[in-house]
Amino acid sequence: MDYRKHFRVEPGRRIRLAERDASDTGKHGSRKDADPEIQKYVQRMDELQYLLFADGNQSLLIVLQGLDAAGKDGTIRHLFTGMDPQGTLVASFKQPSKEELAHDFLWRAHLRAPSKGQVVIFNRSHYEDVLVVRVHNLVPQSVWSKRYALINDFENMLRRNGTHVLKFYLHISPEEQLKRFKKRLEDRSRQWKISESDYLERELWPKYAAAYEDVFAETSMDHAPWYIIPSNHKWFRNLAISQIIARTMDEIGLKLPPTHVDIADIRRRYHAAEDGERESS
Amino acid sequence: MDYRKHFRVEPGRRIRLAERDASDTGKHGSRKDADPEIQKYVQRMDELQYLLFADGNQSLLIVLQGLDAAGKDGTIRHLFTGMDPQGTLVASFKQPSKEELAHDFLWRAHLRAPSKGQVVIFNRSHYEDVLVVRVHNLVPQSVWSKRYALINDFENMLRRNGTHVLKFYLHISPEEQLKRFKKRLEDRSRQWKISESDYLERELWPKYAAAYEDVFAETSMDHAPWYIIPSNHKWFRNLAISQIIARTMDEIGLKLPPTHVDIADIRRRYHAAEDGERESS
């Protein structure tokens, strides 16, 4: 099954999150079933990251969005730990600093955009400025409602400079979120992460859903598509995302650059001489 | 064998690189022998990285230095690919940009220093300013010779802010370097990396050795030690470095922070209520 087609939001199409099954697992019955495929895609992503780095003309920006406990950190941990950290960066967008707030909302995202050859993962992103900002009325509607167009222009500019933008919404159900919160409550190594606000935000679920639905309708573009990934099952989330990334990278025409030097000449000049030296010594 | 003791340069001690065996493999006979231990240390580094991140009071700066083909990229690939990219960053120091050159030599290193909770790997570093810069006479001796003290002050300041600094010199022999260059010449996927200057630099080996020997004598500190790692055998290099990092991190007293909230209270207030709701629905 090609999850690029299956979970992509067609540009301009309005979808309803409530109608999307967060427990969907495509054609896969179980984690055991999916694991070999995940491994294959993760391995391929790693090979393609090397090629992206070597090629040096394009880059990849992966945006991860989702409510608390949707699995953003886990996705990074499971899918990108296998990539060479030398070419792979994670940028986490938390509450903006004073300096960031003193600029336009895209400034801090632009600073962290990938340079050529790089893979950058945004853990949350500039989309928070039409999500949490909207839900909590941090700026008036007249301001945030103009931001979709600004985001599209921004991503279009990145694309024109060789950056492929892939945006993933990790879709979980309210029941699954509660289950994960409970698990954290029991896990000593993760209790320190819990804050009262996790629970307060939960009550705003319908407002977040509406805000996300507008995001998808306004900003899913051919050159920067949104994918809505059923994420109640972590293994399926990993499968779908790794497949989409691997297949996308497979098709962007990456290739090794030509050599800068005359290999035959180097072989002759340096190695023949040194071999000779050693043999006679 | 505790490689922290074995390969550490004692502060103030002058060593001669020519007397260090680059093919040393400690007590290990072969890669097969060492692999389970490497795996164990890499796994432990990963656990400790999580703890470092959670603890949030300390950080780790790993400096990798070595001549061309000494294995800096390979070390990063083999030892740090297993760490969560969300808390692990690589900073590569290449030829400085115009902006960097317009500042003092430590400026660009300081910019990339780890924030609390982070692991940062320097692939080359501020030490290039007393190595390549010295060997090629890019600044006069009166300038570079003052830099050791500036480097010590800088690393001391980092240490006082909770940063542990570990510095590794990947020690290979000239014969091993030549072997690796030849391998690159035969490997289509790596030929693009070869430049004429690799071969020209090779002729400066004795000058680099002298510059490194001064670096070790002047800047190996208890709070920021240099380790000279025999690196002709990649597997042994991986073993020694991963052991040194894991054991160092094991001893710096990392711990999970306390929870910010009253877990029992949350359990009672939110979950009891929601469980009740669901049961009655």
Side-chain angles (χ1 to χ4, degrees):
Chain A
M1 195 177 273
D2 189 345
Y3 296 126
R4 281 183 303 173
K5 287 189 190 147
H6 210 64
F7 297 130
R8 204 174 98 120
V9 179
E10 291 310 310
R13 183 150 162 244
R14 175 161 291 275
I15 65 102
R16 297 249 311 130
L17 275 177
E19 290 164 8
R20 297 282 176 130
D21 180 8
S23 293
D24 186 6
T25 60
K27 288 199 163 173
H28 290 81
S30 69
R31 167 203 292 265
K32 226 180 95 187
D33 207 24
D35 265 349
E37 273 193 65
I38 298 174
Q39 272 198 309
K40 185 185 76 181
Y41 293 127
V42 166
Q43 164 84 29
R44 187 68 190 141
M45 281 163 59
D46 182 37
E47 292 161 8
L48 288 161
Q49 184 265 326
Y50 177 75
L51 217 49
L52 184 81
F53 171 73
D55 181 281
N57 285 305
Q58 305 185 60
S59 59
L60 182 62
L61 174 59
I62 293 163
V63 171
L64 297 179
Q65 286 284 161
L67 300 180
D68 285 337
K72 298 180 291 296
D73 293 339
T75 300
I76 293 170
R77 173 142 194 88
H78 281 94
L79 300 187
F80 300 103
T81 292
M83 273 189 181
D84 194 328
Q86 199 145 204
T88 313
L89 267 92
V90 179
S92 293
F93 294 91
K94 303 190 193 276
Q95 285 221 353
S97 70
K98 256 187 171 175
E99 191 190 10
E100 289 169 346
L101 282 173
H103 293 82
D104 66 88
F105 78 103
L106 288 169
W107 182 77
R108 66 175 184 157
H110 209 163
L111 264 182
R112 318 293 292 275
S115 57
K116 291 189 175 185
Q118 273 185 341
V119 176
V120 170
I121 300 124
F122 278 7
N123 184 352
R124 303 190 187 273
S125 66
H126 44 294
Y127 284 96
E128 290 297 329
D129 291 284
V130 286
L131 291 164
V132 64
V133 163
R134 164 179 170 176
V135 169
H136 287 279
N137 297 308
L138 301 182
V139 304
Q141 174 162 9
S142 61
V143 171
W144 62 251
S145 64
K146 304 286 191 304
R147 287 181 171 171
Y148 303 117
L150 297 169
I151 287 174
N152 289 336
D153 291 346
F154 170 62
E155 292 177 358
N156 184 43
M157 177 191 57
L158 295 181
R159 180 66 200 89
R160 280 174 184 275
N161 195 45
T163 303
H164 300 268
V165 184
L166 298 177
K167 302 177 288 198
F168 297 99
Y169 173 70
L170 310 186
H171 181 41
I172 57 169
S173 62
E175 294 74 28
E176 178 64 20
Q177 187 189 47
L178 190 64
K179 221 172 94 189
R180 293 183 184 182
F181 280 173
K182 281 191 181 174
K183 236 174 149 177
R184 274 192 201 167
L185 282 176
E186 308 308 327
D187 181 350
R188 173 69 190 95
S189 79
R190 287 155 81 211
Q191 284 177 356
W192 63 277
K193 280 190 188 181
I194 298 169
S195 78
E196 187 89 13
S197 71
D198 296 347
Y199 291 85
L200 299 175
E201 285 291 286
R202 202 172 137 69
E203 289 162 21
L204 300 168
W205 194 291
K207 289 195 174 182
Y208 274 107
Y212 268 110
E213 287 168 4
D214 281 349
V215 161
F216 304 142
E218 300 283 349
T219 68
S220 198
M221 297 285 154
D222 277 327
H223 61 266
W226 273 105
Y227 296 96
I228 299 176
I229 307 293
S231 299
N232 277 1
H233 297 285
K234 293 173 186 175
W235 60 265
F236 182 72
R237 170 201 78 200
N238 291 343
L239 173 69
I241 295 178
S242 61
Q243 190 212 63
I244 291 167
I245 295 174
R247 291 196 176 172
T248 301
M249 291 179 82
D250 251 323
E251 289 178 4
I252 59 178
L254 298 171
K255 55 187 183 309
L256 290 170
T259 52
H260 307 296
V261 291
D262 182 342
I263 299 286
D265 180 53
I266 283 190
R267 218 176 262 144
R268 203 165 43 240
R269 276 195 294 149
Y270 293 94
H271 293 162
E274 304 219 27
D275 283 349
E277 261 170 50
R278 242 176 318 145
E279 272 159 36
S280 64
S281 70
Chain B
M1 194 177 276
D2 189 343
Y3 295 126
R4 281 183 304 171
K5 286 187 192 151
H6 210 65
F7 296 131
R8 203 174 99 123
V9 179
E10 290 310 310
R13 183 151 161 241
R14 175 161 291 274
I15 65 105
R16 297 249 313 130
L17 274 177
E19 289 164 9
R20 298 280 175 132
D21 179 7
S23 293
D24 186 7
T25 60
K27 290 199 162 172
H28 291 79
S30 69
R31 167 202 293 267
K32 227 181 97 190
D33 205 25
D35 264 350
E37 274 193 64
I38 298 174
Q39 271 197 311
K40 186 186 78 181
Y41 293 127
V42 166
Q43 164 84 27
R44 186 67 190 141
M45 281 163 59
D46 181 37
E47 293 160 9
L48 288 161
Q49 184 267 327
Y50 177 75
L51 217 51
L52 184 81
F53 172 73
D55 181 281
N57 286 306
Q58 304 186 59
S59 59
L60 182 62
L61 174 59
I62 292 163
V63 171
L64 296 180
Q65 286 285 162
L67 300 181
D68 284 338
K72 297 179 292 296
D73 293 341
T75 301
I76 293 170
R77 173 142 197 91
H78 282 95
L79 299 186
F80 301 102
T81 292
M83 275 191 180
D84 193 327
Q86 201 147 200
T88 312
L89 266 94
V90 179
S92 294
F93 294 91
K94 303 189 195 275
Q95 285 222 350
S97 70
K98 255 188 172 174
E99 191 190 12
E100 288 169 348
L101 282 173
H103 292 82
D104 67 88
F105 79 103
L106 289 168
W107 182 76
R108 65 175 186 158
H110 209 164
L111 265 182
R112 319 292 291 276
S115 57
K116 290 187 176 187
Q118 272 184 344
V119 176
V120 171
I121 300 124
F122 278 8
N123 184 353
R124 302 189 186 270
S125 65
H126 44 294
Y127 284 98
E128 291 296 329
D129 291 285
V130 287
L131 291 164
V132 65
V133 163
R134 164 179 169 176
V135 169
H136 287 278
N137 297 308
L138 301 181
V139 305
Q141 174 162 8
S142 61
V143 172
W144 62 251
S145 64
K146 304 285 189 303
R147 288 182 171 171
Y148 304 115
L150 297 169
I151 288 174
N152 288 336
D153 291 347
F154 170 62
E155 292 178 0
N156 184 44
M157 177 192 57
L158 295 182
R159 180 66 200 87
R160 281 174 184 275
N161 196 45
T163 303
H164 299 268
V165 185
L166 298 177
K167 302 179 289 200
F168 297 99
Y169 173 70
L170 310 187
H171 181 40
I172 57 169
S173 62
E175 295 74 28
E176 178 65 20
Q177 188 190 46
L178 189 64
K179 220 171 95 191
R180 293 184 185 181
F181 279 173
K182 280 191 183 174
K183 236 174 149 177
R184 275 193 201 166
L185 282 177
E186 308 308 327
D187 181 351
R188 173 69 191 94
S189 79
R190 288 155 81 209
Q191 283 178 354
W192 62 278
K193 280 191 188 180
I194 298 169
S195 78
E196 186 89 13
S197 71
D198 296 346
Y199 290 86
L200 299 176
E201 285 292 285
R202 203 172 136 68
E203 289 162 22
L204 299 168
W205 194 292
K207 288 195 174 183
Y208 274 107
Y212 268 109
E213 286 169 6
D214 281 348
V215 161
F216 303 142
E218 299 282 349
T219 67
S220 196
M221 297 285 154
D222 277 326
H223 60 266
W226 273 104
Y227 296 95
I228 299 175
I229 306 294
S231 299
N232 276 1
H233 298 285
K234 295 173 184 173
W235 60 266
F236 182 72
R237 169 201 78 200
N238 293 342
L239 174 70
I241 296 179
S242 62
Q243 190 213 63
I244 291 168
I245 296 173
R247 290 196 176 171
T248 301
M249 292 179 83
D250 251 323
E251 288 178 5
I252 59 178
L254 299 170
K255 55 187 182 309
L256 291 169
T259 53
H260 307 296
V261 292
D262 182 342
I263 298 285
D265 181 54
I266 283 188
R267 219 176 259 143
R268 204 164 43 238
R269 278 195 293 150
Y270 293 93
H271 294 161
E274 304 217 29
D275 284 348
E277 262 171 48
R278 244 178 316 146
E279 271 157 36
S280 66
S281 71

